[in-house]
Amino acid sequence: MARSSDIEFGKLALIFRFTNRENVYACIRETALLQELGIHKRLPHVMYERGYLTPIQIQALLWGLYQSQKINRFPSRVVYNFTEEDDKKFLEKVMLPVDQFFASVSAIAKKPMVAFPQEYLIYCLDAKKQLEQKGFSRSLLS
């Protein structure tokens, strides 16, 4: 479920015509998927990663929300930067062959992107559900 402040942010981005409705909806869906995975990225962060908004536009929208008292403070930024070593440790912990995992992920990718495509997030949700079925219920990425 998307946060109300993220919805307000999306509405304001549409009002100022910084982006279109489809981009906002796609990013809101992505933040909801990430939230289910335990990654708490906010809508401005996702829209920036996708290239839909510039830092100046994000700052203007946050200032507008702050001035209209729809948010109490500016949200902090969290950047997740995982190394290949982190990936290997994770995959060893869940007993998934490293080569098989990277082969399946690269088969899904059509072109390199800055942010994760929605297909990756769905793949991660499936992996999370399989782990939960095996008794691994801790949040992995928060």
Side-chain angles (χ1 to χ4, degrees):
M1 184 77 181
R3 296 180 180 178
S4 62
S5 59
D6 284 343
I7 304 252
E8 292 295 329
F9 183 89
K11 285 180 187 176
L12 199 56
L14 291 173
I15 289 169
F16 283 109
R17 298 179 189 222
F18 287 158
T19 188
N20 61 42
R21 183 174 289 181
E22 291 77 24
N23 292 346
V24 172
Y25 288 163
C27 290
I28 287 173
R29 282 192 300 273
E30 185 174 334
T31 56
L33 282 170
L34 287 167
Q35 203 171 29
E36 286 184 38
L37 288 171
I39 301 171
H40 300 288
K41 278 189 186 178
R42 303 302 300 267
L43 185 63
H45 191 170
V46 173
M47 293 189 82
Y48 172 75
E49 285 180 341
R50 292 281 183 197
Y52 299 146
L53 294 176
T54 66
I56 293 170
Q57 289 171 325
I58 292 170
Q59 191 68 26
L61 293 170
L62 289 174
W63 181 250
L65 290 173
Y66 180 74
Q67 288 297 317
S68 64
Q69 298 180 348
K70 302 225 177 182
I71 59 173
N72 297 326
R73 59 184 169 77
F74 292 110
S76 62
R77 290 187 192 170
V78 178
V79 177
Y80 298 95
N81 189 14
F82 296 104
T83 64
E84 284 187 31
E85 189 62 34
D86 294 331
D87 290 337
K88 287 178 183 174
K89 286 179 185 177
F90 169 74
L91 294 171
E92 286 173 8
K93 185 75 174 175
V94 297
M95 296 186 289
L96 189 65
V98 176
D99 296 335
Q100 177 187 352
F101 176 77
F102 286 118
S104 65
V105 169
S106 63
I108 294 171
K110 292 180 175 63
K111 62 179 181 178
M113 299 180 74
V114 175
F116 286 108
Q118 192 170 6
E119 293 85 17
Y120 286 11
L121 296 174
I122 293 169
Y123 179 80
C124 290
L125 278 174
D126 290 341
K128 181 184 176 195
K129 287 176 187 173
Q130 289 177 4
L131 289 170
E132 286 174 348
Q133 289 173 354
K134 293 184 180 190
F136 196 92
S137 60
R138 212 172 91 201
S139 180
L140 301 174
L141 303 174
S142 60

